[in-house]
Amino acid sequence: MSTVFITDGDRPLGTALRESFTNAGFDVAVHPANGDAKSLAAAISSAGPVELLINNAEPEFDRLAFEEIDENIFVNMMTGVARTAFFAVQAVHPIMQTLGGGKIINVSSSAPVCGMTGGAHFTAAKGSLYSFTRSWANELATDNIRVNLVAADVTTGTAAEDGGGETPLGRPVTIEDVVETITYLAGSGGDMISGQEIIVDGGFTRVGF
Amino acid sequence: MSDLKGQVALITGAGGTLGSSHARAIAARGAHVVIHDIIADAADAVVDDVVRLGGSASPMVCDVTDRQAVKSCVDAVTAEHGAVFILNNNAGITGNNALIKDIDEDFFDRMFDIHVKGAFLVTQEIVDGMKAAGGGRIVNTISGCAHSGAVSGSHYNGAKGAIVGLTRALASEFTPFGITVNAIAPGVTPSGMTRVRLGEEGLAARAKQLVSDRLPTPEEITTGVMFFLAEEAAIVTGRVLNMQQPRKAEVI
Ligand SMILES: NC(=O)c1ccc[n+]([C@@H]2O[C@H](COP(=O)([O-])OP(=O)(O)OC[C@H]3O[C@@H](n4cnc5c(N)ncnc54)[C@H](O)[C@@H]3O)[C@@H](O)[C@H]2O)c1
């Protein structure tokens, strides 16, 4: 039985991913998105054969004017998203090497692409994932590890949300929409896709930008 | 040209190769340039150089990760020269081509602190003055690697990606204040940092991968910064100018 490892597995998207992969017959392990490298390494090494890592840090945050974001808020956001993802990948890499390959999916947002007033901390943190995705896709390809990004514009403040949740496709994006996209990349359809980003936004990002 | 006369520019890490090139060009356009670096001798040498060329410059020495130090330096600069109109967040360290398995917590934290928190803190300390003065230009220096994913250290690339996010968020947020926020993404250019990372031989090998068969000069990278500073570029914001050159097809 292979394992799916999900960071931030208790918030809405994490919960939905956990249920979906459990129903599909995987063992699922979760860990909080707290940037704790040692605890992540311990959890991942005892999680079984992790063939899919989902870096799903989905932090709640307040929309704040740039001047109102204090250093702690900024650093906590970077730690939760970037540091958690980085050290989860570092820990899962040797396991996937042993398994002959694996997949990593980084869950981000459209904010680093479109910008976001009042979200400098969130946008910076989620922006790191775009470049991590490209870098790891390159560096880990020889180990048959595929790394992609899915931007989930559902629960966090995003371009689509700023548009009142309306999308050009006529209905809001749901958690299930995002789970389906991740499931596709996790399946054989995603076997030859690496270093790419898919923004699940109902077409919103392409309107007016 | 002296179209930046009376303006103040702050360049972090300007004791280094790219920052000092930007400083000379901006000073040549008439601005007073604050040469910031963590290494006092490096900052002083660039100040001397700018002044020798007929420009106006002063040093600022602090660690960009230290909020108090940045604040007192920026306060002193503003008191003496007035509000900063041009900010280039350029200070940085090399990822040293490290593979993910070899990047320890200290190296990761240093990378994100200097690049991301550093840009965040310096921008926060200057932005009130910039708003009060009615506008400004912020140019963040990221890297072509943040787009291409080239191995230079994934912590380095990730930190630069975070600055892309910051650039786009602040572009939206600062537009009502007449402040543009953009980024340049240089390709490999011989510099303090890339000599450490690649060595002279490694740099020569990089040049051979390019159709042009040569790496850019710092002055050519400076052209990207100057574009965003042009008065006519007031509507250009939230953009990344990728300055990587075309590669030869056979190179993988
Ligand atoms: N040269 C290239 O090929 C290249 C390519 C892409 C991006 N860049 C970026 O360009 C910028 C300038 O780099 P460079 O190539 O001129 O290298 P450089 O090493 O010559 O200059 C970097 C400067 O930053 C200073 N610095 C480092 N840590 C600091 C800190 N904590 N506080 C204050 N100053 C600090 C250093 O003392 C140095 O003078 C960096 O952000 C780098 O990542 C360079």
Side-chain angles (χ1 to χ4, degrees):
Chain A
M1 182 69 61
S2 66
T3 303
V4 178
F5 195 93
I6 305 172
T7 60
D8 207 351
D10 295 323
R11 305 231 313 119
L13 181 56
T15 304
L17 287 166
R18 205 168 56 185
E19 281 171 10
S20 173
F21 281 103
T22 304
N23 290 341
F26 292 90
D27 284 335
V28 177
V30 300
H31 190 280
N34 59 7
D36 185 337
K38 287 184 187 63
S39 148
L40 279 160
I44 286 173
S45 65
S46 61
V50 179
E51 66 170 31
L52 174 64
L53 165 67
I54 305 176
N55 285 313
N56 169 57
E58 220 202 343
E60 278 187 84
F61 66 101
D62 294 323
R63 299 286 282 263
L64 292 169
F66 181 61
E67 294 87 326
E68 306 294 315
I69 302 170
D70 73 24
E71 196 174 325
N72 277 337
I73 294 177
F74 188 82
V75 169
N76 285 342
M77 180 63 83
M78 293 305 304
T79 300
V81 177
R83 202 174 199 279
T84 304
F86 187 89
F87 287 104
V89 170
Q90 186 175 72
V92 88
H93 177 207
I95 294 172
M96 289 183 177
Q97 264 178 322
T98 316
L99 295 174
K103 288 178 179 171
I104 296 167
I105 295 172
N106 296 320
V107 179
S108 187
S109 156
S110 65
V113 176
C114 299
M116 178 187 215
T117 299
H121 47 336
F122 175 75
T123 308
K126 288 292 194 178
S128 69
L129 297 178
Y130 280 80
S131 292
F132 279 149
T133 299
R134 298 167 192 148
S135 303
W136 293 330
N138 183 17
E139 182 177 332
L140 306 179
T142 47
D143 294 322
N144 194 33
I145 298 171
R146 284 128 304 174
V147 190
N148 292 291
L149 179 147
V150 173
D153 280 13
V154 187
T155 49
T156 47
T158 59
E161 196 175 73
D162 282 354
E166 292 301 316
T167 73
L169 291 177
R171 65 166 177 82
V173 176
T174 65
I175 296 254
E176 289 66 40
D177 293 320
V178 180
V179 171
E180 286 297 324
T181 306
I182 291 173
T183 304
Y184 172 77
L185 287 170
S188 58
D191 283 355
M192 288 302 282
I193 301 176
S194 198
Q196 301 303 313
E197 54 220 38
I198 301 179
I199 303 182
V200 186
D201 67 346
F204 192 89
T205 306
R206 291 292 170 234
V207 177
F209 288 96
Chain B
M1 270 219 281
S2 55
D3 53 336
L4 296 174
K5 198 155 184 57
Q7 306 289 16
V8 178
L10 167 58
I11 304 173
T12 69
T17 307
L18 296 185
S20 61
S21 168
H22 308 335
R24 283 188 296 271
I26 293 170
R29 299 267 285 269
H32 175 80
V33 185
V34 179
I35 309 293
H36 161 272
D37 210 279
I38 195 170
I39 303 169
D41 288 351
D44 288 340
V46 176
V47 169
D48 290 348
D49 201 28
V50 170
V51 171
R52 189 177 49 79
L53 293 167
S56 170
S58 54
M60 167 173 150
V61 178
C62 69
D63 183 340
V64 286
T65 67
D66 179 345
R67 155 86 76 186
Q68 272 321 312
V70 171
K71 183 175 169 20
S72 52
C73 280
V74 169
D75 287 349
V77 162
T78 310
E80 193 177 343
H81 302 285
V84 172
F85 177 71
I86 294 163
L87 168 64
N88 174 213
N89 285 308
N90 164 82
I93 57 170
T94 174
N96 227 4
N97 285 6
L99 299 176
I100 188 163
K101 66 182 171 59
D102 300 322
I103 298 167
D104 63 16
E105 291 182 65
D106 280 351
F107 198 7
F108 179 90
D109 289 339
R110 213 163 4 107
M111 189 60 70
F112 272 72
D113 278 355
I114 292 174
H115 291 264
V116 191
K117 193 174 94 176
F120 167 77
L121 291 178
V122 176
T123 305
Q124 267 196 341
E125 292 305 329
I126 58 92
V127 78
D128 278 347
M130 215 178 240
K131 283 182 174 178
R137 299 292 166 94
I138 300 173
V139 181
N140 295 322
T141 301
I142 65 145
S143 167
C145 298
H147 286 286
S148 65
V151 174
S152 63
S154 60
H155 55 339
Y156 175 89
N157 293 358
K160 293 301 197 184
I163 301 177
V164 175
L166 194 63
T167 300
R168 300 233 169 92
L170 296 183
S172 307
E173 194 163 328
F174 292 168
T175 292
F177 303 97
I179 299 168
T180 66
V181 191
N182 293 289
I184 57 160
V188 171
T189 309
S191 79
M193 163 180 316
T194 49
R195 286 198 175 89
V196 170
R197 175 160 77 89
L198 299 164
E200 293 302 337
E201 253 174 54
L203 286 168
R206 287 302 181 103
K208 288 211 188 72
Q209 296 176 350
L210 301 172
V211 180
S212 70
D213 273 316
R214 71 171 186 91
L215 300 177
T217 64
E219 290 73 22
E220 287 172 317
I221 300 301
T222 294
T223 305
V225 176
M226 300 317 280
F227 168 73
F228 292 123
L229 303 186
E231 201 178 340
E232 296 81 355
I235 55 115
V236 181
T237 193
R239 301 300 144 189
V240 179
L241 179 59
N242 192 335
M243 303 186 77
Q244 288 177 307
Q245 299 180 70
R247 299 176 76 180
K248 290 175 186 163
E250 68 267 26
V251 177
I252 293 192

